[in-house]
Amino acid sequence: MCGGEGTRLESPREKPLHTIAGTAMVDRVLAALRESAIETVYAAVSPNAPETRSHLEATDGVATIETAGEGYVTDLLSVLDDPRISPPVLTVAADLPLLEGPVVDRILVAHGNQSASRTVCVPVALKRRLGVSIDTRLETADHLAPTGVNVVGTTDDPTTMTDVYYDSRLATNVNRLEDARLAAGLLRDRDEDGEGR
């Protein structure tokens, strides 16, 4: 999902193309998906981010789906209406620059072959500890924050499961310039420890 305007980020570039440690956030997310068991990648783009669309259309192994850019839920419904898409579908926001393939695979294993949908959350306390912004909380559990990673199950099963991970790679959504600075620092620390890409 990479068609948002990203006005809170106050970046001179479109949000998905905002660089963290020299690499566009959307490219970092794509690298994580390529490291995972995901077989096909579609990018939901919109008129709000024309440079992102052009960038992704020139990226090997990525097909784009045009949405209206009217918000996450509306855009997701457009994606699900695309004839190439059949649930279950993993959705990932383009603002998770710390995401890695093993994290994606862990989410896929947790989902298994279930028909239910899954919302991946982190504790609000983790986001506070990291210093990243907390823009949304789960309606049914105020102590949890959605990460921007979800599994959309089959339409015949209305159940939504909530998975909670205590993982900075899922907790670091970049919505503001301070989030971008913190993400760059976390990547630098990870690379110095020999754990990063």
Side-chain angles (χ1 to χ4, degrees):
M1 303 296 290
C2 45
E5 293 181 72
T7 53
R8 292 172 293 178
L9 184 56
E10 300 175 9
S11 173
R13 304 190 76 190
E14 295 171 359
K15 183 177 181 179
L17 296 178
H18 185 84
T19 58
I20 305 293
T23 302
M25 287 195 292
V26 70
D27 290 338
R28 290 187 174 281
V29 170
L30 286 171
L33 295 174
R34 288 183 177 126
E35 293 171 358
S36 75
I38 294 294
E39 296 174 8
T40 307
V41 176
Y42 293 94
V45 297
S46 81
N48 297 329
E51 291 175 25
T52 299
R53 179 191 311 107
S54 296
H55 176 79
L56 292 168
E57 287 174 348
T59 302
D60 287 337
V62 178
T64 59
I65 298 174
E66 183 72 29
T67 69
E70 295 174 356
Y72 182 86
V73 173
T74 304
D75 289 354
L76 176 59
L77 292 173
S78 294
V79 168
L80 295 174
D81 282 343
D82 189 288
R84 298 171 289 177
I85 304 297
S86 60
V89 174
L90 178 78
T91 64
V92 181
D95 65 358
L96 289 165
L98 274 62
L99 190 66
E100 294 181 314
V103 176
V104 173
D105 287 341
R106 191 169 70 215
I107 293 165
L108 296 174
V109 167
H111 180 71
N113 292 323
Q114 299 175 30
S115 59
S117 294
R118 301 185 98 75
T119 299
V120 177
C121 295
V122 294
V124 167
L126 172 59
K127 291 180 82 73
R128 281 193 185 117
R129 184 179 69 77
L130 294 169
V132 296
S133 61
I134 304 164
D135 293 304
T136 57
R137 296 173 188 240
L138 203 61
E139 288 182 23
T140 56
D142 193 44
H143 67 287
L144 297 176
T147 63
V149 179
N150 300 287
V151 178
V152 179
T154 59
T155 54
D156 58 338
D157 187 345
T159 307
T160 300
M161 311 288 287
T162 301
D163 293 342
V164 180
Y165 295 89
Y166 196 89
D167 191 323
S168 63
R169 296 169 292 186
L170 289 167
T172 309
N173 298 79
V174 174
N175 291 311
R176 294 176 170 72
L177 287 176
E178 179 62 13
D179 297 334
R181 187 188 67 73
L182 290 166
L186 288 167
L187 281 168
R188 184 177 52 253
D189 293 347
R190 188 173 72 189
D191 290 344
E192 287 173 1
D193 291 341
E195 297 173 9
R197 294 185 204 128

